[in-house]
Amino acid sequence: MATASCPSLDALPTPPQTLVPPPPSILSQDELKKIAAFRAVDFVESGMVVGLGTGSTARHAVDRIGHLLRQGKLRDVVGIPTSRVTHDQALSLGIPLSDLDSHPVVDLAIDGADEVDPSLNLVKGRGGSLLREKMVEGACKKFVVIVDESKLVDYIGGSGLAMPVEVIKFCWKYTAEQLRSLFDYAGCRAKLRMSVGKEEEEEPFVTDNGNYVVDLYFERDIGDSWAASDAILRLAGVVEHGMFLGMASTVIVAGELGVRMINRKPGQC
């Protein structure tokens, strides 16, 4: 009886290879900010007066505007900077600049935000430019906010990070305690913002307007943001706070799945 021979390994069929797709590239937070900033600049048209925001996200938008002006794709754009840092950046890019005294109505403002709640209310000013930002962005016809999705919160202060308040230097400790006591029910802590000075030692951070910043940290929801705003502004030592309520026209959010645009609904506050 013939004995069946085992087939050689070479004769065995080769199993089909399973192709494993490469893992999707994960965009950094800065790359997400850049995507949102470029989308926001699509709103800019030749001949516009544009409020130029301050911070890591707004910096990308200012760069983009300068690039489009150099290419000739935008013409006769005038920028209104919201800080000395943005002023210097825009000048280096050749963006013509002016101010609210000369242009009291701004066509469009583009800026980042530290928090965005479901009603498109914002926390801004962790970079220390909240007063000038609020002045310029309060004078604009359309305010476009650019963020990555990490900035979306359920309520103002929901990130647990700072809600800044610009205060005068005179008796700042008294003002800080007044602010803390306003929000004692929300577990508020008030802390003077510090920065590293020329001698490599910590010293109080000073705004472009020569004031201090007291950062408020909340453990719980502060409730009605509009009532909180009014209460803060009634304190004599307060210059301005970092809640930008009812100001954003459009929020552009960049995330892992792309960019989405959220527009303020009529009457939304």
Side-chain angles (χ1 to χ4, degrees):
M1 182 178 212
T3 304
S5 60
C6 294
S8 68
L9 291 177
D10 292 338
L12 291 174
T14 303
Q17 291 184 346
T18 302
L19 297 178
V20 179
S25 60
I26 299 176
L27 296 175
S28 69
Q29 188 177 44
D30 191 62
E31 289 170 327
L32 293 173
K33 291 177 179 179
K34 189 172 184 178
I35 291 169
F38 278 38
R39 179 65 63 88
V41 174
D42 289 343
F43 285 94
V44 180
E45 299 176 3
S46 294
M48 276 188 168
V49 177
V50 181
L52 305 176
T54 296
S56 58
T57 308
R59 186 182 303 116
H60 290 304
V62 176
D63 281 341
R64 180 64 173 168
I65 292 169
H67 178 70
L68 294 176
L69 284 169
R70 289 193 301 274
Q71 285 188 325
K73 295 181 179 179
L74 285 176
R75 298 179 184 276
D76 303 320
V77 170
V78 175
I80 310 290
T82 55
S83 67
R84 292 176 183 172
V85 170
T86 301
H87 176 277
D88 293 344
Q89 179 196 7
L91 276 185
S92 72
L93 296 169
I95 301 174
L97 298 179
S98 189
D99 55 35
L100 291 178
D101 291 336
S102 301
H103 294 86
V105 178
V106 180
D107 296 303
L108 170 72
I110 299 174
D111 206 352
D114 302 308
E115 292 184 359
V116 181
D117 79 1
S119 297
L120 305 192
N121 295 317
L122 317 172
V123 169
K124 289 178 48 56
R126 289 180 187 154
S129 301
L130 59 155
L131 176 58
R132 297 190 185 192
E133 288 173 338
K134 190 169 284 190
M135 289 178 67
V136 173
E137 289 151 12
C140 67
K141 298 176 183 177
K142 184 177 181 65
F143 178 24
V144 178
V145 178
I146 43 182
V147 296
D148 66 82
E149 58 190 356
S150 71
K151 302 300 192 299
L152 302 181
V153 296
D154 293 330
Y155 55 86
I156 290 294
S159 68
L161 301 177
M163 197 286 282
V165 181
E166 187 163 344
V167 303
I168 64 170
K169 293 180 180 179
F170 177 73
C171 294
W172 69 263
K173 291 181 181 178
Y174 171 80
T175 305
E177 176 55 25
Q178 294 289 100
L179 287 165
R180 188 207 62 76
S181 64
L182 273 180
F183 302 104
D184 189 54
Y185 65 89
C188 178
R189 292 183 297 112
K191 184 177 179 181
L192 182 68
R193 184 176 301 184
M194 305 296 286
S195 63
V196 178
K198 294 180 180 178
E199 304 299 326
E200 300 300 319
E201 295 182 359
E202 274 202 338
E203 58 186 32
F205 173 84
V206 178
T207 70
D208 286 348
N209 315 299
N211 300 311
Y212 286 166
V213 172
V214 173
D215 288 321
L216 303 183
Y217 299 86
F218 306 113
E219 293 181 359
R220 295 177 290 280
D221 189 352
I222 62 173
D224 186 337
S225 300
W226 292 90
S229 169
D230 290 342
I232 291 172
L233 294 176
R234 280 197 294 269
L235 297 178
V238 168
V239 178
E240 189 53 85
H241 60 70
M243 290 186 288
F244 286 51
L245 308 179
M247 293 177 62
S249 309
T250 298
V251 176
I252 298 175
V253 184
E256 293 293 329
L257 300 179
V259 175
R260 58 192 173 105
M261 198 174 300
I262 310 170
N263 293 309
R264 177 175 296 280
K265 299 174 183 177
Q268 185 178 20
C269 63

